[in-house]
Amino acid sequence: MSGLKVLSVASEVFPLVKTGGLADVAGALPGALVREDVDMRTLIPAYPQVRHKLGDGVEVASEYEDLFGGPARILAGRVAGLDLFALDAPHLFDRPGNPYLGPDGQDWPDNARRFAALGRAGADIGLGAIAAFQPDVVHAHDWQAALAPAYLHYSGRPGPGSLVTIHNLAFQGHFPESVFWELGLPAEALSLEGVEYYGGVGYLKAGLLFCDVVTTVSPTYAREIRTPEFGMGLDGLLRSRGAAVHGIVNGIDEAVWNPGADSAIAQPYNPLRIDMRARNKAALQRRLGLQLSVDRPLFGVVSRLSHQKGLDLLLHALPALLDKGGQLGLLGAGERWLESGFGDAAASRPGSVSCVFDYDEKLAHLFQAGADFILVPSRFEPCGLTQLCALRYGATPIVSRVGGLADTVIDGNEAALTAGVATGIQFAPPTVEALAYAIERAFEFFGDPAAMRRMRLNGMRSDVSWRGPAKRYADLYRSIARSAA
Ligand code: ADP
Ligand code: GLC
């Protein structure tokens, strides 16, 4: 079968709008699928930055007189190598800044409506709203797109296959029952066998129930979310979907993340010239105002600051890290309490701890090129991309053994060291003690330059590309492909 058509529906896409790894995935997957003969178009909301990039010369593909309270249309265009459909509904999406949060830092009060509109438009395209692009599969990412399979189901019409990807089960799109009456779904949909969820409406729940296939972003997370510990209330439903739940690890865009040709770092390098990394370490120390030193191991963090990421564990393990002579550089934005904790640490240990509380794509590259270790002490991690970037850049990852972190980093235990395959350090469970011990192990490796070099090279040679994952997605798409009549 050739020329499979897939509509990807996402609330963010790199490089146009990004709050996390979802954008990276939605941005990279279409390009990676070309070699699999999959033609993927991406439907995203026409936020101002999207509208701006699309410009004027766009084709109006479809129109709504009233989509959740106002007129809307779908624009088509090609931006940054992506074939986009943009849902232009100014009453819902013409708002600058973060795609989910208002100026007060809180969720927009009408997020239920905004992302129901996205799911609805995804389903409509699936059902043939755009004559020039009739998808065989609709691929919905996370709760923001997850109503698409429900709308397809309740349309009662033959439609395309559907797939929902869970990037993070912590966000489920759970709204009060009143929302249901705005969705335009038949009354019977407000039931356990429909979109009802704990007395309200569950967008992700609905998607997981009605799609043909569920994927999440690593095999370990796919197993974990079937358990009450990680399932966040949806483990029962996920267990009931049985073999329809798959785990496919993410890749990273090797053109964006390429230490051999990266204009955001001080000194490009490759595995054959790995010693040149040292210049990036110096550049990062300088940029962060840390003491210039080759002998002090530099631990880096590039992360959202949230409970998920376990950085409070690091705050507690930090004194020991510093006592041993380590340095910490942190690039992150998010929850206040974490910013203030790390801010205090930086203030009391200048030269040893430095934090940039910002979202800075360019600086993230210098962190990966300059840090000796990248710390990812997450409590749960569906996949994680920072450790993949770290591998590619020869910054040895120190990760908790959960989700995609467990699947992508090979712990430097005796067996792996003997076999010469170790790429990093894992610890479990996600506690201060286990993290502190992992940091101790990092110091041991750091004191053994040959072992350290080996580990860095193994990391740089790991396959973190989209090739394997893209093939797995393509196989799944083929297994569920169907066209609307
Ligand atoms: P999540 O999506 O849960 O935040 P991932 O590891 O999957 O975690 O993806 C995070 C992405 O966002 C990576 O590309 C990472 O480099 C980037 N990132 C996170 N925080 C920052 C930051 N403060 N500045 C720049 N990039 C960041
Ligand atoms: C989510 C997860 C992260 C994953 C990303 C992309 O944000 O938290 O682990 O890598 O989605 O799939």
Side-chain angles (χ1 to χ4, degrees), residues 179 449 484:
V179 161

Side-chain angles (χ1 to χ4, degrees), residues 110-189:
D110 58 348
N111 273 352
R113 224 172 277 146
R114 298 172 77 219
F115 296 106
L118 182 65
R120 169 69 198 277
D124 288 343
I125 298 175
L127 292 168
I130 298 175
F133 187 77
Q134 174 63 66
D136 304 294
V137 173
V138 171
H139 181 167
H141 296 274
D142 272 352
W143 74 265
Q144 292 92 340
L147 277 189
Y151 279 117
L152 285 172
H153 173 84
Y154 287 109
S155 76
R157 293 162 52 190
S162 61
L163 183 153
V164 169
T165 295
I166 302 168
H167 293 269
N168 194 334
L169 210 47
F171 305 106
Q172 302 187 352
H174 186 192
F175 300 106
E177 189 200 302
S178 56
V179 161
F180 176 79
W181 305 106
E182 294 188 50
L183 296 178
L185 292 170
E188 85 242 25

Side-chain angles (χ1 to χ4, degrees), residues 67-139:
L67 185 67
F68 293 93
R73 54 189 186 147
I74 297 169
L75 308 174
R78 195 170 162 83
V79 180
L82 293 163
D83 287 309
L84 296 180
F85 293 127
L87 178 57
D88 186 29
H91 62 295
L92 301 173
F93 300 120
D94 187 13
R95 305 174 195 181
N98 184 293
Y100 316 118
L101 311 177
D104 56 358
Q106 303 295 313
D107 285 345
W108 287 109
D110 58 348
N111 273 352
R113 224 172 277 146
R114 298 172 77 219
F115 296 106
L118 182 65
R120 169 69 198 277
D124 288 343
I125 298 175
L127 292 168
I130 298 175
F133 187 77
Q134 174 63 66
D136 304 294
V137 173
V138 171
H139 181 167

